[in-house]
Every structure is written in C-alpha cells, then in structure tokens.
C-alpha cells in the first residue's frame, strides 16, 4: 500500500495488503494499480505474497461457490470438477473441512494430488464414467461444456449445480443451477488468510512468471496446472 485516497479508513500507507480488483477496471497486471479499499484485506507478515496472490480470486470463488450459492453443509456430498486447479484445490479443502464427502475430478495425473488435498474419491474424466458417481448434493463446475451438461443429471432432488464457466442451458430435474462471478469480500479474505496461517488451507501454486511474460503466460493455447502467479518485482 503506497497511497490512500482522501477519507479512506481501515488501512495505512506501507501496510501489506491483498485483495480483488474491480472486474470493470483494467490494468491490474502492473507495478501500481488503484483498488477500492473495501476490496482489500490486511496481509500478515508471515504469508508470502505469492501464496496471498492465490487467495482473492480462487479462494473467494471456492467459498462463494460452495457455501453462498451451493449451500453445502456437513454430511453432504459435493463433486468438485478440476479438483487440483486454482479454484478446485481450495474448494476440495474447504469442503472437506466442513465435513462434506468430496469427489474430485480431473486428469489421470491429478489423482494423487486430489486425494492428498482431501478428496475421498477421484474421477478421471478421460477414462472413468461420470455417471458412476451417483447422486450428489452439490456439483461445483469450473469446466463448462459437455462436463457441465452431463453433471446436471447427478444433482439429487433439492441439490445445486454451481458453475463459473458459463450460464447452464440445462437445469437439474428437481434442483437448482447457479452461474456466478466472484465478488470482493474483505472479511472472507481475512478468514482465508487465517486458514493459511494455521495450516488448515494450503493453496496450490503453479507457474510463477515475471510481469514481462504475462501475455504469454495467459495465452489461450497454454495450459498451466494450478494457479499462475505474475510477479511484478
């Protein structure tokens, strides 16, 4: 934090912070950027900036998808697509912590990590039949397309399909389908950071790239496992 706007309270110049920039504002991949103070949370000195960078989008998306929109509770079953990705890896850990039964999906090489993160069952989307999962209370989708459509039939009566990929064109027979875009939440960011400090949450960091390589890092033809972090300095 290098400067504060007039009348801003709750933060101080020189403070370590992290947060989610406004979706309507471009220019966040830069040495300096303007962010609304309400979208930022204090960052403890013992949390590395690289780890902190995984939390605003991935952490808030995982929380809001599971609990605000999916209404996941203890004892329910959740199917998390992309279980080792930036969002999915956090969703698996959060769901397991509240006592849900977690089924993770991904590619064959993702199995060991998904199970280590807390998934009790793993489904290889390239080899296994998704229908064998049976009925679940919540589907958390980050993939879209055919996977999203096939997952609709897995939602048990009263359950919810939550996706961040695209608005669903098919609804569960006796459940809900929700498409959402993550929203800033200072209090939840603070909570996620405390989970990291206590060891209850371990974000998965993928590639780390310098700012000059940002365009190449996010090229459409590039697939990087986990969360890509751009390091400004």
């Amino acid at each position: 934090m290098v400067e504060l706007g007039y009348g801003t309270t709750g933060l101080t110049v020189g403070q370590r912070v992290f947060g989610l920039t406004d979706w309507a504002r471009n220019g966040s991949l830069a040495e300096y950027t303007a962010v609304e103070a309400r979208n930022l949370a204090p960052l403890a000195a013992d949390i590395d900036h690289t780890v902190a960078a995984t939390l605003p989008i991935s952490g808030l998306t995982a929380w809001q998808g599971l609990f605000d929109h999916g209404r996941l509770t203890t004892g329910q079953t959740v199917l998390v697509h992309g279980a080792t990705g930036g969002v999915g890896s956090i969703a698996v850990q959060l769901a397991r912590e509240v006592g849900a039964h977690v089924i993770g999906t991904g590619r064959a090489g993702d199995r060991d990590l998904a199970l280590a993160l807390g998934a009790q069952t793993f489904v290889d989307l390239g080899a296994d039949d998704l229908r064998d999962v049976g009925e679940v209370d919540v589907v958390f989708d980050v993939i879209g397309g055919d996977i999203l459509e096939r997952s609709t039939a897995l939602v048990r009566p009263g359950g919810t399909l939550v996706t961040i990929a695209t608005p669903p064109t098919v609804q569960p027979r006796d459940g809900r389908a929700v498409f959402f875009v993550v929203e800033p939440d200072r209090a939840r960011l603070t909570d996620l950071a405390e989970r990291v400090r206590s060891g209850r949450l371990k974000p998965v960091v993928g590639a780390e790239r310098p700012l000059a390589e940002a365009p190449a890092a996010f090229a459409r033809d590039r697939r990087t496992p986990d969360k890509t972090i751009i390091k400004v300095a």
Side-chain angles (χ1 to χ4, degrees):
M1 174 75 65
V2 296
E3 188 174 342
L4 290 174
Y6 179 78
T8 299
T9 60
L11 299 172
T12 59
V13 172
Q15 186 176 19
R16 300 175 88 239
V17 296
F18 72 122
L20 184 64
T21 56
D22 190 332
W23 287 114
R25 180 190 295 273
N26 291 326
S28 60
L29 285 175
E31 294 182 64
Y32 297 94
T33 188
V35 184
E36 289 192 56
R38 63 188 177 91
N39 293 351
L40 299 174
L43 180 63
D46 56 355
I47 298 181
D48 181 83
H49 279 294
T50 299
V51 173
T54 67
L55 293 176
I57 291 181
S58 295
L60 290 177
T61 298
W63 184 280
Q64 292 169 15
L66 289 175
F67 306 117
D68 295 343
H69 299 290
R71 304 172 185 172
L72 183 70
T73 61
T74 302
Q76 291 187 326
T77 299
V78 57
L79 173 67
V80 178
H81 286 307
T84 62
V87 174
S89 60
I90 294 180
V92 166
Q93 295 176 73
L94 293 176
R96 185 64 186 272
E97 186 178 22
V98 302
H101 179 84
V102 183
I103 303 170
T105 77
R107 302 186 180 189
D110 299 329
R111 182 183 301 274
D112 290 345
L113 177 55
L115 296 177
L117 289 170
Q120 286 111 319
T121 307
F122 180 80
V123 177
D124 178 357
L125 292 176
D128 299 330
D129 191 338
L130 193 57
R131 292 173 296 183
D132 292 342
V133 167
E135 291 187 334
V136 300
D137 297 286
V138 178
V139 172
F140 192 0
D141 169 66
V142 301
I143 300 174
D146 178 62
I147 296 298
L148 172 60
E149 292 189 7
R150 287 194 283 144
S151 298
T152 304
L154 304 178
V155 178
R156 63 169 44 108
T160 306
L161 183 149
V162 180
T163 179
I164 61 172
T166 183
T169 58
V170 181
Q171 297 281 327
R173 178 170 303 195
D174 296 306
R176 301 182 304 129
V178 178
F179 167 76
F180 80 101
V181 176
V182 63
E183 297 181 356
D185 187 332
R186 176 187 286 184
R188 185 56 57 199
L189 278 177
T190 301
D191 173 73
L192 291 170
E194 284 301 316
R195 291 168 186 265
V196 171
R197 295 187 71 195
S198 66
R200 294 152 59 199
L201 178 63
K202 297 179 180 179
V204 178
V205 178
E208 296 182 45
R209 303 273 182 165
L211 181 59
E213 296 181 13
F218 295 113
R220 291 184 178 275
D221 60 350
R222 178 186 293 273
R223 181 185 184 274
T224 303
D226 312 319
K227 186 72 173 176
T228 296
I229 304 298
I230 301 299
K231 304 193 77 170
V232 175

